[in-house]
Amino acid sequence: MRNTMRNTTNPSVAPAGIEPGVPFHDLAQWATKAPEGEKLISTAYRDKVTEDLRFVENVPGVHKPDPILVADNVTRRFGGMTAVDVTHFEIERHGITALIGPNGAGKTTFFNLLTGFDTPDTGSWQFDGKDMAHAQPEKAARMGMVRTFQLTKVMSRLTVLDNMLLGAPVQPGEGMFRALFPATWRKQEKANVEKAEALLERFLLIKKKDDYAGSLSGGQRKLLEMARALMSDPQLVMLDEPMAGVNPALKQSLLDHILALREEGTTVLFVEHDMNMVRHIADWVTVMAEGAIVAEGQPKTVMDDPAVVDAYLGAHANIDLGDDSVLDDPGETAETTETAGTPEIEGPSGTAAVAETAKIAKTSGIDAKEASR
Ligand SMILES: Nc1ncnc2c1ncn2[C@@H]1O[C@H](COP(=O)(O)OP(=O)(O)OP(=O)(O)O)[C@@H](O)[C@H]1O
């Protein structure tokens, strides 16, 4: 495997703590290791995934060489309508997999099922070899599987830093642990704050850490939600429409963060309608329509397939297939719904806030009362 991790000022010297060829999993440290003005660039995982997927057949439900998630016969019906009917689905470890398809194809419902936010009528799936079919969101998060939402679920009336701390992994028996070992608990809390700050630094939100999350723009909320998802050092991050509502300036930043995740060894599954993004960063594309997986394969093969374009991408196909300039075009405003710098303290309050906080806290297994303090 070729390793091209390099230090941009002195290519022969990797930053301290980063060994060539050795995956570097400590995200918080990663965020602080790159010297000022430099980027760590590695293609080790991209190379591995490209190699692994090179000879995989482009057929729905195909087996992959090193799957981190394997799902079988997952169905979900709403009344008489079948929203999800997936016979077999695998996600290649360390890869970036895009899940695409027309509106109403069942992508979000499938996400909800896999992460324990909804219950299937039938089906089973294993994450890293462990059965997950009945796992609640907090258990899924503890096991290394976290997600973000199409409409961000940041807590408007909590500070940016407190939102980050909601994503910190829970300590087993936290209440008693805290009472019996206050010093150890304080040490853990300090470590969580340090990790949160390092991630905020990396996601360019550190200056906002004491601001209410409600004052962030739409794009910044997406960044915050992604940063919060990383607090538990997940192995698999599932992003539901990360680009929706993000202005072009922040799109590039989001793309870079997703690419960086792969190079740290994190597996990414994302739902997206922005075909330009899919084509730029996906190692593998899976197409859903009417609840089923109807095509999957190498991005180029799938996205250039006229049958897929006509039948499944529909209205989204003409946006930017083949048009690289969309990412850089500052004049593109069609998807820009964010209002950078405009305070918009809305969102949950009172009991609604507590309920909402509890829901988010559950994804990381946090005690809800603690989260809403
Ligand atoms: N809670 C629900 N009750 C009833 N029907 C639902 C529910 N959630 C989803 N559906 C239906 O299930 C189908 C799949 O919806 P889903 O949101 O999963 O599609 P999607 O592919 O994510 O769409 P989009 O790209 O627009 O987000 C749709 O017909 C939707 O109306």
Side-chain angles (χ1 to χ4, degrees):
M1 184 193 303
R2 190 164 59 93
N3 188 310
T4 54
M5 191 170 277
R6 65 178 189 261
N7 174 311
T8 49
T9 47
N10 184 353
S12 63
V13 181
I18 297 182
E19 301 294 326
V22 178
F24 191 69
H25 292 293
D26 190 331
L27 293 165
Q29 282 198 52
W30 188 95
T32 56
K33 285 291 178 192
E36 185 80 15
E38 293 185 10
K39 273 187 179 177
L40 298 177
I41 303 166
S42 164
T43 60
Y45 282 114
R46 188 188 71 192
D47 293 349
K48 172 200 174 281
V49 171
T50 304
E51 204 50 40
D52 279 0
L53 295 175
R54 188 185 303 273
F55 300 109
V56 175
E57 262 192 289
N58 286 198
V59 293
V62 69
H63 293 288
K64 316 230 163 50
D66 184 14
I68 191 167
L69 186 134
V70 180
D72 283 292
N73 302 314
V74 179
T75 63
R76 175 69 165 113
R77 281 183 294 280
F78 295 111
M81 197 266 299
T82 301
V84 170
D85 187 4
V86 169
T87 309
H88 188 79
F89 175 61
E90 296 185 359
I91 301 173
E92 178 69 3
R93 191 187 306 272
H94 303 314
I96 299 178
T97 300
L99 186 58
I100 63 173
N103 295 114
K107 306 178 296 293
T108 296
T109 306
F110 191 38
F111 250 49
N112 291 344
L113 296 172
L114 293 180
T115 48
F117 282 84
D118 192 8
T119 309
D121 292 299
T122 66
S124 63
W125 57 100
Q126 292 82 41
F127 172 67
D128 214 11
K130 294 172 201 88
D131 183 26
M132 297 291 285
H134 303 290
Q136 295 294 308
E138 66 270 33
K139 185 172 176 206
R142 262 202 313 278
M143 291 173 78
M145 208 170 145
V146 294
R147 66 163 304 174
T148 64
F149 292 83
Q150 202 168 323
L151 299 172
T152 56
K153 300 219 181 269
V154 298
M155 305 283 101
S156 298
R157 291 176 187 272
L158 292 185
T159 66
V160 167
L161 182 61
D162 283 341
N163 266 277
M164 288 295 288
L165 295 174
L166 290 179
V170 73
Q171 296 297 315
E174 194 167 79
M176 186 180 286
F177 172 77
R178 205 177 274 199
L180 294 177
F181 308 103
T184 316
W185 167 69
R186 273 195 292 275
K187 204 168 143 198
Q188 178 64 46
E189 196 169 63
K190 186 165 174 275
N192 287 343
V193 170
E194 280 170 7
K195 185 174 192 174
E197 289 182 344
L199 282 164
L200 288 174
E201 192 92 56
R202 171 177 167 185
F203 281 77
L204 304 179
L205 289 171
I206 192 68
K207 287 190 181 141
K208 305 262 178 195
K209 74 171 179 162
D210 296 321
D211 294 357
Y212 284 119
S215 71
L216 299 182
S217 70
Q220 288 170 329
R221 289 178 199 208
K222 291 264 181 187
L223 288 172
L224 174 58
E225 200 170 64
M226 199 186 295
R228 180 173 62 194
L230 301 184
M231 281 294 289
S232 58
D233 291 324
Q235 290 181 68
L236 171 63
V237 175
M238 297 169 63
L239 308 169
D240 197 351
E241 298 200 25
M243 292 295 172
V246 175
N247 76 24
L250 273 183
K251 274 189 178 179
Q252 188 59 55
S253 171
L254 265 165
L255 282 184
D256 289 345
H257 286 304
I258 295 170
L259 291 171
L261 285 180
R262 176 179 58 194
E263 292 319 326
E264 293 153 9
T266 310
T267 306
V268 178
L269 174 70
F270 72 99
V271 168
E272 191 51 68
H273 286 299
D274 182 333
M275 292 302 119
N276 200 41
M277 172 188 178
V278 172
R279 200 166 50 80
H280 271 271
I281 69 168
D283 298 304
W284 194 260
V285 176
T286 302
V287 187
M288 274 185 92
E290 296 178 3
I293 290 173
V294 293
E296 61 174 302
Q298 312 287 348
K300 190 156 177 28
T301 314
V302 171
M303 296 170 74
D304 288 351
D305 179 346
V308 170
V309 171
D310 287 350
Y312 311 124
L313 303 186
H316 302 294
N318 62 351
I319 305 173
D320 33 44
L321 283 173
D323 180 7
D324 287 359
S325 64
V326 172
L327 274 177
D328 315 317
D329 180 4
E332 188 223 12
T333 53
E335 289 182 280
T336 307
T337 58
E338 64 171 301
T339 48
T342 309
E344 31 172 305
I345 313 267
E346 26 96 309
S349 60
T351 50
V354 173
E356 182 71 347
T357 305
K359 225 157 91 189
I360 297 303
K362 273 184 86 178
T363 64
S364 302
I366 303 164
D367 180 84
K369 276 186 249 131
E370 204 47 55
S372 57
R373 265 191 319 133

